Amino acid sequence: MKQGIHPDSYREVAVRDMSNDEIFITRSTVQTRETIDIDGVTYPLLKVEISSSSHPFYTGKSTLVDTAGRVDKFRNRYGDRKKK
């Protein structure tokens, strides 16, 4: 790795998966406005819609997580191209 190109401001951050409310701690440089207390320690809180705990590839479930009907809009607009 090149020296001097990576940030020095890594800190522990709580990441909350909003689809299943699972929380895990990781190190990141992300700037957040919210915080959360876990076991008496205050962590910056990063909210994500999907993570490894809810993603179909990691869970083995083949369901689509759709927020705001994006998948339906795509299917209505483009349909099934193989039928033509």
Side-chain angles (χ1 to χ4, degrees):
M1 272 194 279
K2 289 186 177 181
Q3 297 296 320
I5 63 170
H6 299 285
D8 295 327
S9 60
Y10 282 100
R11 66 187 191 286
E12 289 186 333
V13 175
V15 179
R16 172 179 276 162
D17 186 336
M18 299 306 288
S19 63
N20 63 3
D21 284 334
E22 186 168 329
I23 298 174
F24 58 93
I25 308 295
T26 188
R27 294 179 48 84
S28 178
T29 61
V30 67
Q31 298 298 320
T32 64
R33 295 181 184 184
E34 297 181 54
T35 60
I36 189 170
D37 288 330
I38 300 173
D39 297 330
V41 180
T42 302
Y43 296 101
L45 177 63
L46 174 63
K47 294 180 179 179
V48 295
E49 289 187 23
I50 194 162
S51 70
S52 61
S53 66
S54 63
H55 193 281
F57 180 80
Y58 297 106
T59 61
K61 299 177 185 174
S62 61
T63 59
L64 292 172
V65 175
D66 186 18
T67 58
R70 292 184 203 133
V71 173
D72 291 331
K73 280 183 183 178
F74 179 84
R75 287 184 177 160
N76 289 338
R77 180 178 288 166
Y78 297 105
D80 190 2
R81 298 269 184 192
K82 294 180 181 180
K83 288 183 180 180
K84 290 184 178 181

